[in-house]
Amino acid sequence: MIPASVFRCLCLAFGLADTVYGAKLTEVKDWGGRNSSTLSMHIYVPNVLPPKPAVIAVPHPCSGSAQNTFSSVTPRLASYADKLGIVLIFPSTTGVVNTLRNCWDDRGPNALKRNGGSDNKGIVNQINYVLAKYKADTGRVFTTGSSSGGMITNILLATYPDVFAGGASFSGAPAGSGQPARTSAQAWGDVVRIAYPEFNGTRPKMQVWHGTADTVVPYQYFGHQLGQWSDALGVKFSKNVTGDPEAGYTKMEYGDGTKLMGYHAQNVGHVVPSPDEPLLKFFGLM
């Protein structure tokens, strides 16, 4: 979750003035499949699309919206979408969590349910709209978000593992963080398995980023997310790589690094700048 005062600073942090896009962010009003959550939908569609384009959903932080997430939190992602032919979805919610507005439901009674009518279902409905309209690749659907957007990213991968090929959480929290704390990686992994107990396919890959100086979402959630997905994906920690992607960062690889990866950002606060290339390479889109 991110306070409005912090969110307003993001435009300056990401050098918005230097950003030029080839297409425009457009609201979609007829995406259908509406549910009990109060969602709206914007999309960024490159002027030229390849056959079966990839799709990335980018849920906003608390106090955010589709428009300011597009213009400030992911300023370069649209240019990569133009080059690589990716459809970007920017969902919005007006939900309230702990008095904070425009937050994704990560702790309500239906938050961890598949087809429970919460925000996770609404985002999947938007993805299904894009898959049908643009004949997008069902095997290359991803999601990434910061703070509350990172929290719903974990929930989306837990409840709809058959929809997503991967996700990335920035300054987020594991699925189930709104419930009593778990004491082991297996217990966190059980949250994922219980969310869709019938699932027996390949689970989506996960990338986790968190700053050690985060005073908004506790840094301990970084370890909880890695524990949750290490257990759910069946991969163990293998090695650290210091200075990756830049000084002050440590990349934490699990297994061969293709299913799970963490990035520990020393002395970085709640806003971890989005490193688009490591993200897109992990997703297999570059």
Side-chain angles (χ1 to χ4, degrees):
M1 302 174 188
I2 182 168
S5 59
V6 173
F7 193 89
R8 285 192 293 269
C9 295
L10 291 173
C11 291
L12 297 177
F14 286 98
L16 180 58
D18 296 331
T19 303
V20 178
Y21 306 109
K24 293 182 178 180
L25 186 70
T26 304
E27 184 174 8
V28 177
K29 293 184 177 292
D30 60 346
W31 50 277
R34 296 183 182 276
N35 53 25
S36 60
S37 58
T38 52
L39 269 63
S40 60
M41 176 184 183
H42 287 72
I43 57 175
Y44 181 85
V45 183
N47 292 328
V48 178
L49 277 181
K52 300 186 69 174
V55 178
I56 303 178
V58 190
H60 58 69
C62 283
S63 304
S65 68
Q67 295 92 332
N68 56 28
T69 297
F70 173 76
S71 63
S72 61
V73 179
T74 52
R76 298 172 303 275
L77 192 55
S79 65
Y80 282 101
D82 287 337
K83 296 173 185 176
L84 302 173
I86 302 169
V87 179
L88 303 178
I89 303 174
F90 292 87
S92 286
T93 180
T94 56
V96 178
V97 176
N98 291 343
T99 73
L100 291 173
R101 296 189 175 278
N102 296 13
C103 296
W104 300 101
D105 180 16
D106 67 328
R107 60 195 60 196
N110 295 318
L112 276 169
K113 291 182 180 178
R114 181 181 176 86
N115 299 324
S118 189
D119 292 338
N120 55 344
K121 177 59 176 175
I123 293 174
V124 168
N125 286 341
Q126 295 182 2
I127 290 169
N128 288 335
Y129 169 89
V130 167
L131 290 172
K133 182 173 179 62
Y134 298 99
K135 297 180 173 58
D137 191 343
T138 58
R140 294 194 300 156
V141 176
F142 304 90
T143 181
T144 180
S146 176
S147 198
S148 181
M151 296 174 188
I152 195 67
T153 290
N154 280 274
I155 288 174
L156 285 166
L157 267 58
T159 52
Y160 292 92
D162 52 334
V163 172
F164 295 94
S169 168
F170 291 80
S171 308
S177 62
Q179 303 171 355
R182 273 71 180 176
T183 57
S184 68
Q186 181 177 341
W188 283 111
D190 286 342
V191 175
V192 172
R193 288 182 285 271
I194 292 170
Y196 186 11
E198 300 84 5
F199 183 71
N200 58 7
T202 301
R203 292 193 180 276
K205 61 176 62 179
M206 184 60 160
Q207 192 179 72
V208 183
W209 299 72
H210 215 118
T212 63
D214 192 340
T215 59
V216 179
V217 177
Y219 175 69
Q220 68 189 38
Y221 283 143
F222 175 65
H224 293 334
Q225 289 176 88
L226 290 174
Q228 181 168 75
W229 292 106
S230 172
D231 185 76
L233 291 166
V235 290
K236 295 183 179 181
F237 172 78
S238 55
K239 65 178 179 179
N240 284 333
V241 181
T242 58
D244 189 340
E246 60 185 67
Y249 285 69
T250 300
K251 180 171 70 174
M252 304 172 66
E253 290 189 6
Y254 286 74
D256 62 3
T258 61
K259 292 183 178 181
L260 178 62
M261 190 177 294
Y263 286 88
H264 153 108
Q266 188 66 36
N267 297 324
V268 172
H270 187 56
V271 180
V272 180
S274 297
D276 301 297
E277 289 196 9
L279 175 77
L280 294 170
K281 287 177 180 178
F282 182 71
F283 285 171
L285 300 178
M286 289 190 70

